[in-house]
Each structure stands twice: as structure tokens, then as C-alpha cells.
Amino acid sequence: MIELEGVPELVDPVMVAAFEGWNDAGDAASTAVAHLDKEWKGEVFAALDAEDYYDFQVNRPTVWLDGGVRKITWPTTRLSVVRVGGEKPRDLVLVRGIEPSMRWRSFCNELLGFAHELGVELVVILGALLGDTPHTRPVPVSGVTSDADLARTMDLEETKYEGPTGIVGILQEACTHAGVPAVSLWAAVPHYVSQPPNPKATLALLNRLEDLIDLRIPLGELPEDARAWQLGVDQLAAEDSEVAEYVQSLEEARDTADLPEASGEAIAREFERYLRRRDGGGPATQPGSHATESGDAASFLRDGPAPRPWPGKPQLPEAEPAPESGTADEGSDKSPDAKPEKSPDSTDSPDSAGPSGTTDPSGPTDPSND
């Protein structure tokens, strides 16, 4: 039995989780949870025992100096609580860590134990994958669940994926079997610029999370960073005619696929989000906060991390046009050396794109069959 001391009674708590590694292209998902923790000043109340779940030759501990004293930080997963006030108070339980190397069922059961003790009403797991999506367009974010009733009530896709999965898929299925409502949100990261950070993908995940749990999230400098990130990639792409041509082909494919989405309902959703953010006060943002406009590169380079080196030319599709990957549903290898592969058609399912852009979403995988 997990006993929590010093953790106050929470109001309509939602657990939001993200894990570095295979499910976190561009570090977009883990950065989103880190942003929530920073903006709302989360207080860590628990950490899982690193000895139980991590291979230290894969995820090595780090040594650092604290006032001349050497200390060690072990790779693990930590839980923190943020108290969100306002007219509709709702507290969050943030789970941020690294995809475990072993004992995934025990790992998920331990997290579910905390969720039960804290009275968590919904678990939202964030992920990011590599996909055939242009950096110049709004980041596609897919919301999927294994619960048919939840899919209907929250306007989500019901995942039907079968195949290899990561900790995001395993945790979602563990929640479903335990009777805890669970949703996964996936952002598609351009495979030709996969190095972290990707503030535009992080911003897209936070916007979708904001809509899902009906809670205004302070975005801080993320919109500016996202605009500057896009401007930097624009400049790098313009220096290589082959890359620029490839990006243009992705834009054409994306725009063709998105034509049906330019409906009155989609426009209404964007306008409602804009009104919510305006009424809530705070810095003004564009409707949807997709941050596709050009930004101040000098400001980004001054205040944010320096842009990463250009990853090189993408592997161009050989025969078929690149599929639209906005409905993808599973993890991704975020290694800068990963080479994109041509993805199979993903239009029949919201589940696609695993490591290097190949299909591999989270699906109805029974954790008991690991």
C-alpha cells in the first residue's frame, strides 16, 4: 500500500505523464511536462526506485559538485503536484521520467498505485513521434484511447494498432485494465529536423492538453520560441535546394490532406480557444497558438537554447508521396542519427510512426503479456 504523507487533498486531479526516450521525439513531450512543473511550481512528493527499473549502462547516472561535495543523480521517474486555482480549480499530478529498461508491469502498477491514492480521475500521457510532416505547418496532434466510451465522450480516436509499443502504450493499457480513464496525445515531429528542442511541438501538445482538460495553461515564452525555431529551420532549409524541394512536397501533401478540415466546426474550435485565452487574461496569443508565423530569431538565440546543427539531407521518398502523419499514435526514436524511412499508409488508423518515422503506435497491448 502506498502511503502519501504531506500531500494535500487534491481537486479533480488529472495525472499528466511523459517519458524521455523512444516515445519522445525532439524531447517535445517531456519538455511539455517540465513546462507545467516550472510554470505552476510543482512540488516533488515521490520518486521511483531507480534500481528497480533502469539499466545504468543504458541510462547512466551523473556526478556533479554541490559546494565542493560530489553528488550523484540517478535516472528515475519523479512525481510532483501542482495546485491550479482560478474559477475552475483543478490540480495536476505530473509524472516525468525516462522510459524504464525493465519491469514495465511493476512500473505501471506503481504509478497506478499513486493515482489511486491521490484520487486521479484521468490519466493523460504525452508522446512525440517522427513523421512526414512539414515544419511550416501546424503540428498534428492526435488524441487516442483504448476506451470506446471515452473516445465518444471526449472526441478521440479509438486505437486499433497492433505491433511493438513503448511505455506510453503499456501505461495506457494498464490504466484501461485498472478502470482508470486514460488518453494519449501524440505530436508529429518532422523527421528531417528531429533534434531537440522542438518548442513548436511542445506548444502544440500543451494546446491540445488545454482543450482536453479544460484548463488554461500559461505558455510563457513558448510561442516566441516556437516562432524562432521555425524561422531558424526555414533559414537552414533555404540553404539546400534539395531539402527545400522536399519540404515543399510535404507542404503540398499536407495541404491536400487538410482541405476537409477547413470546416466550420474546425474554425469554431480555433475561435473558442482564442476566446478562452483572451478572457483568461495573460499574454495574447494567436488563435490555437500554433506559432507558424515568423519570429524574432535574435531574441530566441539570446533567451533560449542555441539551434542544433542541421541534421543533413532527408531521405527522399522513392515512389509514393509522403503520407500525412497527423493521426499517428506511437513513440519514436529521437536519435539525431536515425534515418527516416518511407512510412506505410497510415490513413486507416490514428496509429503510426515509430522509430525513424516507421509505423509503430501504442495500441491494445495487454501488459500482462510482456
Side-chain angles (χ1 to χ4, degrees):
M1 176 65 70
I2 297 175
E3 296 184 1
L4 301 176
E5 297 182 358
V7 178
E9 184 176 352
L10 304 182
V11 178
D12 298 331
V14 174
M15 177 176 282
V16 182
F19 304 95
E20 300 174 17
W22 196 69
N23 310 273
D24 192 22
D27 289 353
S30 57
T31 302
V33 173
H35 177 85
L36 296 175
D37 188 78
K38 177 183 176 181
E39 290 294 324
W40 279 318
K41 299 178 175 56
E43 298 180 3
V44 175
F45 65 88
L48 305 190
D49 190 342
E51 291 279 349
D52 292 339
Y53 304 116
Y54 294 100
D55 180 348
F56 298 138
Q57 290 182 324
V58 176
N59 298 291
R60 293 186 178 274
T62 57
V63 179
W64 55 288
L65 292 176
D66 181 14
V69 179
R70 294 174 66 83
K71 294 186 177 181
I72 296 177
T73 298
W74 297 92
T76 188
T77 295
R78 293 178 173 82
L79 291 84
S80 58
V81 169
V82 297
R83 313 302 306 271
V84 184
E87 296 181 1
K88 295 181 179 180
R90 162 163 264 182
D91 299 333
L92 301 182
V93 179
L94 304 180
V95 180
R96 183 187 176 201
I98 305 170
E99 183 177 63
S101 307
M102 60 196 80
R103 301 184 183 90
W104 284 18
R105 285 174 291 183
S106 299
F107 180 87
C108 293
N109 287 337
E110 191 164 353
L111 291 180
L112 285 171
F114 283 110
H116 175 73
E117 286 296 312
L118 293 168
V120 167
E121 300 178 348
L122 174 69
V123 175
V124 182
I125 316 165
L126 306 183
L129 50 88
L130 299 180
D132 295 325
T133 181
H135 71 279
T136 54
R137 298 294 185 264
V139 176
V141 178
S142 303
V144 295
T145 181
S146 300
D147 187 323
D149 294 334
L150 196 63
R152 286 191 297 270
T153 58
M154 302 191 74
D155 191 24
L156 302 167
E157 296 288 341
E158 183 180 358
T159 178
K160 299 185 183 300
Y161 169 78
E162 295 177 330
T165 188
I167 192 60
V168 171
I170 296 300
L171 180 56
Q172 178 170 309
E173 292 307 308
C175 291
T176 300
H177 289 296
V180 178
V183 174
S184 296
L185 299 180
W186 290 95
V189 172
H191 63 75
Y192 57 89
V193 57
S194 59
Q195 291 94 331
N198 190 319
K200 186 172 179 179
T202 295
L203 180 61
L205 281 171
L206 291 175
N207 280 331
R208 186 62 186 274
L209 177 65
E210 185 179 61
D211 293 341
L212 184 71
I213 63 177
D214 191 23
L215 187 67
R216 183 179 182 277
I217 297 174
L219 298 178
E221 298 179 356
L222 267 177
E224 179 185 352
D225 289 350
R227 287 190 293 271
W229 176 87
Q230 180 174 317
L231 179 62
V233 179
D234 285 342
Q235 294 171 342
L236 291 171
E239 297 173 0
D240 190 311
S241 59
E242 187 176 354
V243 172
E245 183 179 351
Y246 180 63
V247 172
Q248 183 179 2
S249 70
L250 292 179
E251 291 173 339
E252 293 172 355
R254 174 68 185 276
D255 293 343
T256 300
D258 281 353
L259 283 177
E261 295 299 322
S263 63
E265 182 179 352
I267 295 172
R269 284 198 301 268
E270 291 296 308
F271 188 63
E272 288 173 359
R273 180 189 289 124
Y274 167 71
L275 291 178
R276 284 199 303 271
R277 297 199 63 81
R278 187 194 65 178
D279 294 341
T285 58
Q286 295 296 325
S289 296
H290 289 302
T292 57
E293 308 85 349
S294 298
D296 183 356
S299 175
F300 175 64
L301 296 177
R302 180 179 66 252
D303 299 332
R308 302 298 181 99
W310 181 249
K313 298 179 181 179
Q315 179 176 332
L316 301 180
E318 298 175 359
E320 301 177 359
E324 194 278 324
S325 60
T327 55
D329 175 35
E330 183 52 34
S332 171
D333 183 355
K334 63 178 180 176
S335 169
D337 298 326
K339 296 182 178 180
E341 301 175 6
K342 183 171 63 179
S343 301
D345 184 4
S346 62
T347 57
D348 294 335
S349 168
D351 316 311
S352 66
S356 301
T358 58
T359 59
D360 183 17
S362 74
T365 306
D366 187 347
S368 63
N369 292 332
D370 282 0

